[in-house]
């Protein structure tokens, strides 16, 4: 794939206070297959960035409100993976040069050559979102990650950049946020995509078995080792090994893993022969490894080997705009799996899902959708079924009049209980005269005598006699 075609269809943000130049650039870039958003100030650009993240920003340095350098610094701070091309007059060339040393992709002096601009755009897009081959020029690499939130777009943009290298990546995030899905996406976007991706949960396998799983063993290495066995590090040769819950790895194995990362060789249990291995390590944890290091539970040298690049997945509660599309996608998948005719959620049911706290994150959402799909008997999942799956009480929506009447009746009942059925005392507590209080009791069909202790005791005695 050539750089000229690699970024076709990409979204570009243009920032310039010259309306004529904006119009001309927009027409030219649109004619070359790009989707263009044009704004006339740095403040407007920041607003647009918060609404939708483009693939590239092209900005003039001289702008009417805040200058292009301020905008560039805002982009570096909030969207470090977003490439920026600066347009500059001769008087602002020193600023443009400074910006390129700070991370701007390039600068062009006005008037600039249109062909050169197109080349710079294609190159920047190629570097910011490298594709491993023609079939991956779209979004196939991240197809399993359903998202339309800004924070996930930023994270995935960084993940795409990371995929181009062989650097070790530490993925942080709460349980259930999708750390393995992100690791798989990085693998699919990398040059190792056609080689194996192997995942192992370090916290789910006993220490003795985990060592054998990772490093393999020779025949007779220990009791029960009746045949030689290749470890996962060798099985992932040429590809990617994902070590989930790396914070739970025993210290002894941390030492052996560090040796593999340093020497790029593996020694099987019971063998003195070191075998070369080419494997990229992605790891994940929900634990605070800084605390684990201070407590002596995680090696500092291994931490820095694994944490060359860190990516943090946000909890689902911080990306609520993703709940609805994920829930609908899960429902379609599960409906097909179970042969159900469910086609969606009722609006109030979808709202309840969106507003839930989701302590179990995406994993919990999937389980809730599976629950409602299995029990659904109508084409649309109702609110009551969602509330049942979420284990929250049903919320009865009352009109103002109904709510007031219900409160009033409950209030009268409480007063009569306090006053032992004495209307005069209850009226005094309510700061109302007896006549008005009797009208209220009549309105709600309340009999004060039923709240007297002697009446209650008489009725209880009568009940016992009849048994």
């Amino acid at each position: 794939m050539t750089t000229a075609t690699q970024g076709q269809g990409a979204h570009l943000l243009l920032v310039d206070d010259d309306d004529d130049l904006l119009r001309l650039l927009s027409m030219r870039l649109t004619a070359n297959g790009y989707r263009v958003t044009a704004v006339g100030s740095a403040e407007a650009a920041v607003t647009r960035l918060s609404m939708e993240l483009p693939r590239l920003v092209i900005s003039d340095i001289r702008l009417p409100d805040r200058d292009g350098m301020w905008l560039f610094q805002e982009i570096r701070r909030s969207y470090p993976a977003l490439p920026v091309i600066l347009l500059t007059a001769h008087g602002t060339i020193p600023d443009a040069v400074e910006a390129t040393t700070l991370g701007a992709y390039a600068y062009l002096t006005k008037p600039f050559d249109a062909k050169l601009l197109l080349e710079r755009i294609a190159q920047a897009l190629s570097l910011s979102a490298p594709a491993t081959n023609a079939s991956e020029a779209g979004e196939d690499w991240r197809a399993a990650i359903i998202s339309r939130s800004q924070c996930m777009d930023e994270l995935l943009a960084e993940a795409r950049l990371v995929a181009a290298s062989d650097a070790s990546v530490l993925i942080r995030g709460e349980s259930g946020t999708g750390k393995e899905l992100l690791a798989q996406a990085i693998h699919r976007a990398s040059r190792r995509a056609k080689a194996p991706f192997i995942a192992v949960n370090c916290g789910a396998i006993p220490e003795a078995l985990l060592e054998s799983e990772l490093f393999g063993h020779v025949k007779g290495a220990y009791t029960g080792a009746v045949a030689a066995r290749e470890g996962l590090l060798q099985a992932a040769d040429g590809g990617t090994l994902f070590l989930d819950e790396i914070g739970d790895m025993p210290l002894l194995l941390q030492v052996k893993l560090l040796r593999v990362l340093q020497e790029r060789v593996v020694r099987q249990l019971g063998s003195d022969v070191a075998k070369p291995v080419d494997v990229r390590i992605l790891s994940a944890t929900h634990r605070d490894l800084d605390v684990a290091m201070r407590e002596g539970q995680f090696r500092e040298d291994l931490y820095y080997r694994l944490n060359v690049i860190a990516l943090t997945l946000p909890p689902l509660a911080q990306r609520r705009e993703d709940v609805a599309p994920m829930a609908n996608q899960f429902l379609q998948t599960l409906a097909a799996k179970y042969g159900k005719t469910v086609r969606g959620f009722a609006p109030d049911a979808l709202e309840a899902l969106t507003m839930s706290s989701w302590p179990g994150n995406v994993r919990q959402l999937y389980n809730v959708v599976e629950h409602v799909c299995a029990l659904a008997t109508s084409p649309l999942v109702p609110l009551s079924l969602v509330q049942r799956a979420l284990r929250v009480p049903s919320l009865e929506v009352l009109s103002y009049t109904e709510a007031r009447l219900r409160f009033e009746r409950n209030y009268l009942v409480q007063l009569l209980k306090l006053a032992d059925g004495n209307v005069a005392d209850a009226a005094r507590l309510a700061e109302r005269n007896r006549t008005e209080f009797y009208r209220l009791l009549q309105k709600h069909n309340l009999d004060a005598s039923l709240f007297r202790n002697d009446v209650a005791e008489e009725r209880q005695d009568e009940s016992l006699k009849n048994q």
Side-chain angles (χ1 to χ4, degrees), residues 15-176:
V15 191
D16 202 303
D17 61 335
D18 186 333
D19 292 338
D20 292 334
L21 180 61
L22 272 186
R23 192 177 304 109
L24 178 62
L25 270 178
S26 297
M27 291 173 58
R28 184 164 289 158
L29 293 173
T30 301
N32 279 272
Y34 297 110
R35 181 166 66 90
V36 178
T37 298
V39 297
S41 69
E43 295 285 1
V46 170
T47 301
R48 293 298 307 186
L49 286 168
S50 66
M51 296 167 61
E52 181 184 6
L53 196 66
R55 288 272 304 280
L56 172 71
V57 176
I58 304 171
S59 175
D60 192 7
I61 285 186
R62 288 189 172 174
L63 295 169
D65 48 359
R66 297 178 181 270
D67 63 22
M69 288 297 293
W70 175 85
L71 174 60
F72 169 72
Q73 290 167 352
E74 284 294 298
I75 292 172
R76 288 297 90 190
R77 180 176 61 81
S78 301
Y79 317 105
L82 182 60
V84 178
I85 294 177
L86 294 170
L87 306 178
T88 176
H90 288 287
T92 56
I93 286 179
D95 289 336
V97 172
E98 179 188 356
T100 56
T101 63
L102 294 175
Y105 178 73
Y107 72 90
L108 298 175
T109 55
K110 296 179 179 180
F112 49 83
D113 179 75
K115 183 179 179 181
L116 180 60
L117 175 62
L118 290 173
E119 288 177 358
R120 292 289 183 269
I121 291 172
Q123 291 166 0
L125 293 175
S126 174
L127 290 173
S128 65
T132 56
N133 54 52
S135 66
E136 294 177 354
E139 296 298 305
D140 292 349
W141 69 281
R142 51 153 295 182
I145 301 175
I146 305 163
S147 174
R148 63 185 181 193
S149 63
Q150 180 82 3
C151 61
M152 282 300 292
D153 281 347
E154 294 167 19
L155 177 67
L156 291 169
E158 291 184 20
R160 190 72 184 262
L161 280 173
V162 167
S165 73
D166 266 346
S168 297
V169 181
L170 177 62
I171 304 173
R172 301 174 183 268
E174 297 176 6
S175 294

Side-chain angles (χ1 to χ4, degrees), residues 216-230 268-271:
H217 60 260
V218 297
K219 182 179 178 180
Y222 56 86
T223 304
V226 295
R229 185 175 182 275
E230 185 180 67
Q268 293 178 309
L269 286 175
S271 173

Side-chain angles (χ1 to χ4, degrees), residues 317-333:
Q318 291 181 13
R319 39 183 292 221
R320 294 189 183 278
E321 58 267 54
D322 291 340
V323 172
M326 278 195 288
N328 283 316
Q329 181 62 52
F330 293 160
L331 187 65
Q332 290 177 18
T333 303

